[in-house]
Amino acid sequence: MPLHPTHPALADDYTPPPLIQAYRGRRPSTASGADYTPVWFMRQAGRSLPEYRELRVGTDMLDTCLNPELASEITLQPVRRHGVDAGIFFSDIVIPVKLAGVGVSIVAGRGPVLEHPVRTAADVAALPPLDPGALAPIREAVALTVAQLGATPLIGFAGAPYTLASYLVEGGPSKEQLKTRALMHSDPAAWESLLTWCADITGAFLTAQIEAGASAGQLFDSWAGSLSLADYTERVAPFSARALDPVRGLGVPLVHFGVGTGELLAAMRGIGVDAVGVDWRLPLDEAARRVGPGFTLQGNIDPALLQAPWRVLEAHIDDVLRRGRAARAHVVNLGHGVPPDTDPAVLTRIVEHVHAHA
Ligand code: CP3
């Protein structure tokens, strides 16, 4: 489907906001000509905000994601509070799994847990298709959000097939994904079917958000850092590319992010994206050398330093900004999500500092 007629990019007076300019490779500037580096935070919506904790009392996480009014309000909370350059749609990578009819819930402090892990070729063959109509609450929540965001763009997101598959196979969060990586090699045909299923449902989830109003899309391959370069390149990346295929014609920039992926960055760039997210382990100037000149970098404040005294954090942010100049353009973010015990005032101060000192 094409973009919905109310999509911001279709308005007569549309000029791309700083975030979108940066993803496309232009370094934005202010009206007075000063450099301006856009900033947002992965997991900016969530438990670090008292207004989020208040709204969530007594409501299940995935039910909250599927309630358009609640999902929209929670998406807007960090934009209002911090003045970030984007909202990221409040949802979860397992929402398309749930909407396909697979039993999954989110256990607080742990993460997604499957009713029945997917371990065999027969389990994979039994995975149901996702009815596109089931994505209606997602489209509705995005449309509600974009109508209130004004000039601030909304980022849509989805889990990459490997990260999604790891939850299905392990049955829950797992540090090294041993069962998942064993299946990849023991039954390549089942692996291909499983990753194809994941790519198609996660691609449909991202497409729904972009058609309904999101101005960029980010694919999260949070656990790809467990993979060898060979496994990543041959058995994972083609499916990540497949997940993005349905959105390529929609004209919005795409971002690819994973944790611990220093050795994979060049391959992650290769699935056809505009920007690559970098975790805190690799300095951005070295990341720029590894991904090459045609890509924007996003990152990579160490989330641990959110707990440090401001002068320590400030010096770190300035170092991140300085190294980020090695890329064609830079979007400031953390190297992974906001930890739940973060003082939100620190996040607001980072936004002010980045906007004043680009
Ligand atoms: O602000 C945002 O970034 C948007 C919302 C968002 C959530 N999950 C909300 C959420 C996004 C982009 C995600 C993506 C997601 N979900 C990823 C990829 C990003 C990453 O962190 O690597 C992954 C791996 C998941 C799976 C998942 N869902 C985990 C590991 C958890 C945390 C469990 C916990 O309690 O620590 C969740 C639950 C979840 N997703 C929460 C939020 C705000 C916490 C739920 C709560 O409030 O109790």
Side-chain angles (χ1 to χ4, degrees), residues 205-218:
F205 175 58
L206 182 61
T207 306
Q209 294 166 60
I210 292 173
E211 285 174 351
S215 295
Q218 177 159 318

Side-chain angles (χ1 to χ4, degrees), residues 54-121:
E54 199 175 307
L55 259 191
R56 276 291 318 283
V57 171
T59 317
D60 171 77
M61 170 65 190
L62 295 180
D63 290 345
T64 307
C65 295
L66 293 173
N67 176 319
E69 283 78 22
L70 281 179
S72 173
E73 171 57 22
I74 293 171
T75 303
L76 294 164
Q77 285 175 344
V79 181
R80 285 190 204 114
R81 184 191 264 264
H82 303 309
V84 277
D85 289 277
I88 175 150
F89 181 53
F90 178 79
S91 194
D92 197 83
I93 60 168
V94 296
I95 281 289
V97 175
K98 182 178 167 80
L99 292 177
V102 174
V104 59
S105 55
I106 289 192
V107 177
R110 192 156 171 241
V113 175
L114 271 286
E115 247 165 61
H116 304 289
V118 178
R119 300 261 164 89
T120 65

Side-chain angles (χ1 to χ4, degrees), residues 227-250:
L227 297 164
S228 68
L229 179 59
D231 280 354
Y232 180 75
T233 306
E234 289 158 28
R235 298 167 202 254
V236 169
F239 302 97
S240 300
R242 180 183 173 117
L244 295 180
D245 282 344
V247 301
R248 290 189 204 282
L250 297 175

Side-chain angles (χ1 to χ4, degrees), residues 43-45 47 52 56 61 91-92 109 167 220 222 336:
R43 293 277 179 91
Q44 63 190 17
R47 282 171 295 180
Y52 169 82
R56 276 291 318 283
M61 170 65 190
S91 194
D92 197 83
Y167 285 105
F220 283 89
S222 303
H336 198 184

Side-chain angles (χ1 to χ4, degrees), residues 74-314:
I74 293 171
T75 303
L76 294 164
Q77 285 175 344
V79 181
R80 285 190 204 114
R81 184 191 264 264
H82 303 309
V84 277
D85 289 277
I88 175 150
F89 181 53
F90 178 79
S91 194
D92 197 83
I93 60 168
V94 296
I95 281 289
V97 175
K98 182 178 167 80
L99 292 177
V102 174
V104 59
S105 55
I106 289 192
V107 177
R110 192 156 171 241
V113 175
L114 271 286
E115 247 165 61
H116 304 289
V118 178
R119 300 261 164 89
T120 65
D123 294 339
V124 174
L127 289 168
L130 171 62
D131 168 9
L135 291 163
I138 302 303
R139 293 177 184 276
E140 197 184 321
V142 168
L144 269 175
T145 308
V146 169
Q148 293 174 76
L149 273 172
T152 305
L154 179 70
I155 301 171
F157 77 92
Y162 175 73
T163 290
L164 213 50
S166 80
Y167 285 105
L168 293 169
V169 175
E170 308 291 337
S174 155
K175 248 199 160 89
E176 294 184 315
Q177 306 105 46
L178 299 180
K179 293 185 176 67
T180 314
R181 291 188 291 118
L183 178 70
M184 173 191 289
H185 287 273
S186 322
D187 192 341
W191 179 253
E192 187 179 331
S193 310
L194 174 60
L195 264 78
T196 301
W197 185 82
C198 289
D200 291 348
I201 64 161
T202 214
F205 175 58
L206 182 61
T207 306
Q209 294 166 60
I210 292 173
E211 285 174 351
S215 295
Q218 177 159 318
L219 196 66
F220 283 89
D221 210 349
S222 303
W223 312 137
S226 310
L227 297 164
S228 68
L229 179 59
D231 280 354
Y232 180 75
T233 306
E234 289 158 28
R235 298 167 202 254
V236 169
F239 302 97
S240 300
R242 180 183 173 117
L244 295 180
D245 282 344
V247 301
R248 290 189 204 282
L250 297 175
V252 306
L254 300 171
V255 188
H256 195 189
F257 168 77
V259 181
T261 50
E263 301 307 315
L264 306 181
L265 284 182
M268 289 179 66
R269 161 201 82 188
I271 68 164
V273 290
D274 304 274
V276 176
V278 182
D279 85 356
W280 66 93
R281 293 175 179 89
L282 192 70
L284 290 182
D285 46 351
E286 173 60 14
R289 198 186 62 74
R290 294 186 190 188
V291 301
F295 298 87
T296 298
L297 291 184
Q298 178 169 280
N300 64 348
I301 297 171
D302 185 343
L305 296 198
L306 300 174
Q307 316 270 352
W310 173 252
R311 61 180 171 76
V312 174
L313 176 57
E314 185 182 42

